[in-house]
């Protein structure tokens, strides 16, 4: 039949397949990482061991190889991409969802938990008190569903002198909330200090207001 050659197999033996792959993939556009290419060749040609053979033109086999390379690259990206994003985007817990207690009430709850030796609850309530205090001072707009890290970022924009401490406290809140960390009196003391520093720190002007004032 036209276009077919009786002496050229569709699925060549391992040696023949490797020669074809080397010829096709050794072109400059495929030569960015020779060591990776060699590893791929070793894996791919092993797929032909013991496979039955048919007739096909060598060019079509080369196109099939290129197609396999593209498919493998796309699959690897689709699989690895979400993994990278999940590592960067670790979840942060909601701070004050449907909690209408005042900062003073939250501090009292933290004090009560600390007195009982319940340091995890003390840390959680103390951080909530810090965030509620920022809301009461109109430094952070109240918003249901705001996470600890979002609250720290919003508070740090207005109180840059304690921004780093707010971020650290937010990570502590998340770790305790998700049971990833056991805390003691030192953790509660650090949040007590943060609460006091934040209350004593004057906020920076909002960008819009600063522009009007100037």
């Amino acid at each position: 039949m036209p276009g077919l050659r009786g002496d050229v197999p569709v699925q060549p033996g391992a040696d023949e397949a490797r020669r074809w792959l080397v010829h096709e993939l050794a072109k400059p556009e495929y030569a960015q990482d020779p060591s990776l290419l060699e590893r791929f060749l070793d894996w791919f040609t092993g797929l032909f061991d013991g496979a039955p053979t048919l007739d096909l033109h060598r060019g079509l086999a080369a196109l099939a190889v290129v197609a396999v390379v593209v498919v493998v690259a796309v699959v690897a990206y689709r699989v690895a991409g979400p993994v990278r994003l999940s590592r960067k985007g670790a979840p942060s817990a909601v701070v004050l969802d449907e909690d209408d207690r005042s900062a003073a009430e939250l501090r009292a709850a933290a004090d009560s938990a600390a007195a009982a030796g319940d340091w995890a609850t003390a840390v959680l309530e103390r951080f909530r008190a810090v965030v509620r205090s920022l809301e009461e001072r109109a430094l952070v707009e109240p918003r249901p569903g705001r996470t600890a890290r979002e609250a720290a970022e919003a508070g740090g924009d207005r109180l840059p002198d304690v921004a780093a401490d707010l971020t650290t406290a937010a990570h502590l809140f998340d770790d305790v909330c998700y049971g990833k960390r056991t805390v003691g009196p030192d953790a509660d003391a650090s949040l007590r200090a943060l609460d006091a520093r934040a209350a004593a720190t004057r906020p920076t002007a909002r960008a819009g207001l600063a522009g009007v004032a100037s």
Side-chain angles (χ1 to χ4, degrees):
M1 294 177 62
L4 296 179
R5 295 175 54 189
D7 59 343
V8 180
V10 171
Q11 293 185 349
D15 293 339
E16 183 68 14
R18 184 179 181 84
R19 284 196 297 272
W20 290 3
L21 285 169
V22 170
H23 176 77
E24 178 66 25
L25 299 180
K27 294 179 180 180
E29 57 266 33
Y30 302 116
Q32 295 181 357
D33 191 348
S35 61
L36 182 59
L37 174 60
E38 289 297 327
R39 290 197 297 270
F40 172 76
L41 290 174
D42 291 339
W43 168 80
F44 187 81
T45 54
L47 299 179
F48 292 98
D49 292 342
T53 60
L54 297 173
D55 293 338
L56 184 64
H57 191 276
R58 176 176 175 177
L60 294 180
L63 289 176
V65 169
V66 174
V68 170
V69 173
V70 172
V71 170
V72 169
V74 170
V75 171
Y77 178 80
R78 292 289 297 273
V79 172
V83 172
R84 290 193 299 268
L85 291 177
S86 66
R87 290 175 180 174
K88 294 180 180 179
S92 181
V94 174
V95 182
L96 290 165
D97 201 24
E98 299 182 359
D99 189 336
D100 59 359
R101 289 176 294 173
S102 68
E105 289 172 329
L106 289 164
R107 291 187 186 104
D111 290 342
S112 177
D118 185 357
W119 301 112
T121 299
V123 164
L124 296 177
E125 299 287 54
R126 195 82 62 190
F127 183 78
R128 293 186 178 110
V130 172
V131 175
R132 179 50 49 83
S133 177
L134 294 175
E135 293 179 350
E136 291 174 350
R137 295 170 63 190
L139 301 180
V140 173
E141 182 181 357
R143 192 185 76 194
R146 176 181 277 123
T147 67
R149 295 181 199 176
E150 290 171 344
E153 182 178 0
D157 287 342
R158 298 301 310 279
L159 301 175
D161 290 344
V162 294
D165 293 331
L166 285 171
T167 299
T168 299
H171 283 282
L172 175 62
F173 178 89
D174 285 338
D175 287 346
V176 173
C177 188
Y178 290 123
K180 297 180 180 179
R181 183 171 174 181
T182 301
V183 293
D186 290 345
D188 180 58
S190 69
L191 286 177
R192 284 177 183 269
L194 171 60
D195 191 14
R197 287 197 305 274
T201 301
R202 296 184 59 183
T204 59
R206 295 185 185 274
L209 296 177
V212 172
S214 60

